[in-house]
Structures are given as structure tokens and as C-alpha cells.
Amino acid sequence: MGTEGDNVRVIGGRYRFEARIGRGGMGVVWRASDTLLGRQVAVKELGLDDSLSEDDARQQRERMLREARAVAQLRHPNIIVVHDVVLHDEHPYIVMELISGGSLADRIARQGPVDATEAARIGLALLGALRVAHAAGVLHRDLKPANVLIEAGTGRVVLTDFGIAQVEGASTLTETGGFVGSPEYTAPERMAGERAGAGADLWSLGVLLVAVLTGESPFRRDSLGGILHAVVYEELRPPAEAEPLLPVIQGLLQREPARRMPLDEAERLLRAYIATGATPQPAVPYAADALRPTYTPTRYDVPPAARRGRSPRVLLVAAALVAAVAGAAIAIAVLLSQQGTGDNAPPGSPGSSSRRPSGSASSASPSPTPTVTVTRRETRTETPRASAPSGYRIADDPGGFRLAVPKGFRREVDGPRVFYLSPGDTFRIGIKVTDTVGGGPGEAQRKSAADGPKNNPGYRAGKVTDTTHDGRAAALWEFTWNGFSAAEGARHTVDLCWEQGGRMYDVWVSAPVGEAGRGRAHFDAAVDTFVPSAGD
């Protein structure tokens, strides 16, 4: 009943493929014509694991078709309409409505993060979609910006790509094969190999809300192991942009599923925010188990199981999952935000005592950067510094300190500043140690910010935030600038300054705006492992 030839393919006797328009977690999406009804549709061609035996492949097809048919029964304005399910040449296909407009991920990449009101609108629409899906026993399992469409002209929010959805109680690919989904948006119970229910989709929605408000997932890391560690263990403190919806986000991002905010409560709070511009406190207080209002750098030393209330079995399962996932094909939607100070200028740049050309180039255009506040503990407790994370090494610097820097970075000195530079100077880690100054770190950073336009061409979006670092007074300075040449391109800098033992320590990282996610990881690793040779 199908034809294929002259680059034309027809399935089900009526759906004529025209062009590939996307790729989802489990297959390829095509624009097609429904020749029977004369309309445009989207057809998802579900991929099969060709390493399976004939019997296993048949079971996989049956499972996919069964779950696709369950999704086809869902009716909600914020759920993609499934028109048909077709088995053609032993391959399953899902025929869906064709939405005119890009994904939420595309929108953020082009226009940057959304404001709190729009985020609440998107969240409310997705909660409505999840309510209907969960009532029908369907779990989405891959809720992320790339799987949310925004219809052009109407702004309708449409949840799509149920390609890895699970019908509750059914055996799924996760149980029979390997991990499926996008780790940055995956609930910790799934990452730890535990059986997950509807609450896992609510966790993903909490991550999505942070991502649309700030421009990237709060669990964005450079490696799969880093993502897993962040999701399961790290204490995350979202940036200021997330604060208007913080009661909802904090409730959804509770690591223990039983403590997670229920759908009805999240819906009530988002409706209240849209109506009043303020989010009321939830009916049940949610402790900051996973979240606080400010960001804390990544802790790379894995805490004991008891610290997070998880069993040793979970630790073993999670470790095994890293190995399993590393060998699987996983689609991770990457939204990189950004990362430059008069003090961050590399050797050879304006304001430096020597001159050397920079080998960096970036074609990425600037995009908004999350404003973060580096805070750890408000008490003066000494915490042993972590060892270097994967891909880094501990540098025992002759300048009287040690810190983690990426492997392959070279050390250079320019006056009082020490630099660790990547090949081509694309990433720059800078450290400066001086005597304390009157007014402390805040005044020092504000003075540097005032000199920003003089020292950093195209200086913009500068912000200094007073904070603490290991209980000590500190100040965080972030800004975007144009780089020292057109070839270098726009850059973003994150700079933390604090006092310790009668000395002023300043650590910063400068990176191209399009590589800010990696720059942030380098900053986190440097600050989190930094130890001066003299105690305080």
C-alpha cells in the first residue's frame, strides 16, 4: 500500500512525505501531505533498534504502537493532535497535526529567556496537558523546551514528542533496553534507576521553568556524569530571574517524589501569579531541599548517601547508569548562555603590560545571561576542598594557591594576575591576589565595574551583587562585552572577589557568549576548589 521512488515516499496509501523537519528522541519527523483529506501533517518515523532479535523487534514495534495509540486518545488544546498510527514496511509511524511555528528551545535561542508572566503562561498550559495525559495513564518522560511548540500567530503552547511516552503499568524501553530521555530534564528517581510515576514529569516541568526564565537548564554540565551528579546530589540555587516563580519551582524540584508539589497546587500558584503578578506561598511549605534563591557553585565531591537521604543501592544504580547512558544515543537539548574585567584581560590585551594576538573567534551572537549569586554557607565553617572533577587537574600555583583548571590549559603571568588559558585563548581563567582594600569586595568590584567601559570594549549588562563565599564577605560581578577584536567576538565574564586571611582574592572566567555554559563550569570548578596556601 505504499510507494517509494523518485525521492517520494507514501505510507498508509495517503501520507506523502515532503521534507524532513526535525528529529525527536525516538525518530525523525517529516512534513507530509494527507492526500485523502488534502491537508498538511507531521509524520514521526519511529526508530527501531536493529540489533534486536526478530522477536524482540516485534515486541518493540507492538509496544511503540500501543503507546502511540494511547497518546492518540488524548484530547487537549495543549497536546499535539495525533491523527493516525501506521505500520508500514514493519516500521511504526505517528501522523500528527502540523504546527506552524518553532519549538520553545528555538524561541529561547533566538530571543533569549522569557519573563515570569510568559513562563507562568507556558507552565500553566503544560500542566493542563500533563493533567489529561496523567489521567489517561500516559507519562511523557521527555518534557523539555525542544518538545514544546509555540504556534505562530496564536502563541498556543503545544506539548509534542510523546515518542518515548510510557503507559503506566506497561513494560517500556527503559526497563527492557537502556535509558531514554534528556538527562538535564530527567527526574532524579529515573536517573537513579528507580521506577518513576507522574511526579517525574512535574520535576521536568520545574527544570523547564528555570530554563525558560534563565536561558539554560540548571543542570547543564559538560559531561553526562556531571549532569547525573547535579541532578541527583547537588544543591541548586536558581538565579534571580527565577525568584518570581520560586515557590512553584522549589516545590516541583523536590528530589523525593513524595514531597514534590502536586499538579493542582502548581496550577493554583501559576494562575495566581498571572492574575496578580505575585506568587502566593504554597499551602504546604516546601523546604529548600533542592533549591534556594541564589546559585551555589557545583560541588564535585560526592556527598555521602545519608546527606541526601538516599540509600547506598541508589548510589550503585546511579553509577551503573552513567556507564549505561554513556554508550547510548541521547538527545540533549543544549542552550548555552554566556561568559570578561579590566582584570580579566589576558596577557597582550588592552590594559595589559604585554601584547600578544588572541587566537579566539566566535560566530555566536550575544544572548541574555542568567544573573547568579555565588553563595555557599552563611556560617564560617571550613570545608575540605574537592579533588579535580573529570577533565580537570589541580594546579598548585607558585602564587600561593591551588585550584582546578581544565587539562591542557597553560599558565601565564601578567603582572599581579595569573592566567590559565585554553588553546587559542578561547577560555581564560584569571586569578589576582592583593591586599585588602577599604570598603571590601563590594567596593572593589563596583570600582572595576565603573571602569568596565574603559577596559572592556562594548561593555554592557554589568551587575555587581554583594554575597558571601564560604561565609566571608564577597561580591560577584558579571558582564558581557565585545572582546578585544572583531575576530574574537562577544564574550561574557563571571568574576568573584572575596576577603580571606587579610588578603583579597579575585577569580574570574571569560568565555565566548556562545560557550558560556562551559565557561560557567570552569568558573564553578575554579571557585569551588580554590584554596590559598595560607589559612585565614
Side-chain angles (χ1 to χ4, degrees):
M1 296 296 293
T3 63
E4 187 167 3
D6 299 325
N7 298 320
V8 175
R9 187 156 45 131
V10 178
I11 63 168
R14 59 187 284 190
Y15 304 111
R16 185 188 303 276
F17 285 25
E18 295 180 349
R20 191 173 76 175
I21 57 177
R23 181 178 294 275
M26 290 290 287
V28 177
V29 181
W30 302 84
R31 185 178 70 245
S33 292
D34 181 345
T35 58
L36 181 62
L37 298 180
R39 63 182 176 184
Q40 293 281 290
V41 295
V43 178
K44 183 164 187 178
E45 180 179 7
L46 295 172
L48 293 174
D49 184 352
D50 34 357
S51 67
L52 297 176
S53 67
E54 183 176 341
D55 187 55
D56 287 342
R58 178 184 55 78
Q59 292 181 14
Q60 187 185 54
R61 284 193 298 271
E62 291 175 354
R63 185 167 58 250
M64 286 179 170
L65 289 171
R66 180 179 67 247
E67 296 175 4
R69 289 181 181 118
V71 174
Q73 304 307 309
L74 304 180
R75 292 289 182 269
H76 190 274
N78 300 117
I79 295 178
I80 194 79
V81 175
V82 175
H83 296 309
D84 200 357
V85 178
V86 176
L87 184 64
H88 175 72
D89 288 343
E90 300 301 314
H91 276 75
Y93 297 82
I94 302 176
V95 183
M96 305 170 288
E97 66 173 319
L98 181 65
I99 302 295
S100 175
S103 71
L104 183 56
D106 294 334
R107 174 176 171 176
I108 296 171
R110 290 193 311 266
Q111 304 175 22
V114 306
D115 61 27
T117 300
E118 177 66 358
R121 184 187 77 87
I122 293 169
L124 197 59
L126 293 174
L127 283 169
L130 291 177
R131 176 189 296 280
V132 169
H134 293 170
V138 176
L139 312 180
H140 189 280
R141 301 199 306 159
D142 199 20
L143 181 58
K144 60 184 179 181
N147 287 341
V148 177
L149 303 179
I150 307 296
E151 189 173 50
T154 68
R156 178 167 71 110
V157 177
V158 182
L159 180 58
T160 187
D161 205 350
F162 281 81
I164 64 168
Q166 173 187 353
V167 178
E168 282 191 308
S171 174
T172 67
L173 186 60
T174 297
E175 285 79 38
T176 58
F179 179 86
V180 180
S182 304
E184 292 175 46
Y185 293 87
T186 299
E189 59 266 31
R190 283 196 64 218
M191 290 291 252
E194 299 171 358
R195 190 164 185 84
D201 282 344
L202 296 177
W203 169 281
S204 300
L205 178 61
V207 181
L208 181 143
L209 288 175
V210 179
V212 300
L213 286 165
T214 66
E216 66 177 2
S217 159
F219 300 113
R220 173 78 183 131
R221 299 294 185 270
D222 282 345
S223 67
L224 180 59
I227 294 171
L228 173 62
H229 182 266
V231 170
V232 177
Y233 295 115
E234 289 177 16
E235 183 180 19
L236 173 70
R237 301 177 181 179
E241 291 89 339
E243 290 185 18
L245 302 182
L246 189 60
V248 180
I249 292 168
Q250 184 166 289
L252 294 176
L253 293 188
Q254 294 291 310
R255 283 190 168 92
E256 296 300 329
R259 296 174 54 194
R260 203 165 294 155
M261 178 180 285
L263 188 150
D264 288 349
E265 180 71 345
E267 197 171 57
R268 180 183 73 84
L269 298 185
L270 291 181
R271 286 191 190 281
Y273 184 85
I274 292 173
T276 67
T279 304
Q281 290 303 309
V284 177
Y286 288 89
D289 169 63
L291 297 167
R292 294 182 186 173
T294 52
Y295 177 90
T296 189
T298 303
R299 300 296 307 186
Y300 290 100
D301 48 327
V302 179
R307 183 182 302 181
R308 297 298 180 199
R310 294 194 172 271
S311 67
R313 184 190 70 82
V314 171
L315 289 174
L316 295 174
V317 172
L321 183 61
V322 174
V325 177
I330 297 177
I332 301 178
V334 178
L335 295 177
L336 293 176
S337 123
Q338 27 245 294
Q339 306 262 8
T341 148
D343 282 333
N344 84 335
S349 62
S352 170
S353 58
S354 60
R355 183 73 185 170
R356 185 182 73 253
S358 170
S360 171
S362 173
S363 60
S365 58
S367 59
T369 307
T371 301
V372 295
T373 304
V374 177
T375 311
R376 289 205 189 85
R377 298 176 176 82
E378 299 304 322
T379 56
R380 293 287 298 274
T381 58
E382 291 303 313
T383 304
R385 282 295 186 253
S387 57
S390 176
Y392 292 75
R393 65 180 177 87
I394 294 295
D396 288 301
D397 196 273
F401 53 85
R402 66 193 300 265
L403 78 168
V405 300
K407 293 177 181 178
F409 277 40
R410 72 184 188 282
R411 180 183 187 269
E412 293 197 14
V413 178
D414 183 41
R417 304 174 305 168
V418 176
F419 285 91
Y420 286 88
L421 306 172
S422 68
D425 299 356
T426 303
F427 297 95
R428 306 164 189 160
I429 302 173
I431 308 98
K432 188 170 73 169
V433 183
T434 62
D435 293 330
T436 57
V437 298
E443 182 170 318
Q445 292 286 59
R446 276 180 270 276
K447 183 179 183 302
S448 295
D451 292 336
K454 176 177 66 177
N455 294 322
N456 298 88
Y459 177 89
R460 59 191 179 276
K463 181 178 181 179
V464 175
T465 304
D466 292 312
T467 183
T468 60
H469 173 66
D470 282 342
R472 303 177 180 88
L476 182 75
W477 176 29
E478 289 193 74
F479 61 91
T480 302
W481 55 300
N482 290 343
F484 290 118
S485 68
E488 184 172 64
R491 301 182 67 81
H492 187 80
T493 293
V494 184
D495 182 335
L496 182 69
C497 179
W498 73 95
E499 291 181 340
Q500 182 175 349
R503 303 286 280 170
M504 186 87 77
Y505 294 91
D506 196 0
V507 177
W508 65 92
V509 172
S510 171
V513 293
E515 297 271 19
R518 292 179 61 192
R520 177 76 64 185
H522 297 338
F523 175 78
D524 286 351
V527 170
D528 204 43
T529 58
F530 188 95
V531 177
S533 58
D536 63 357

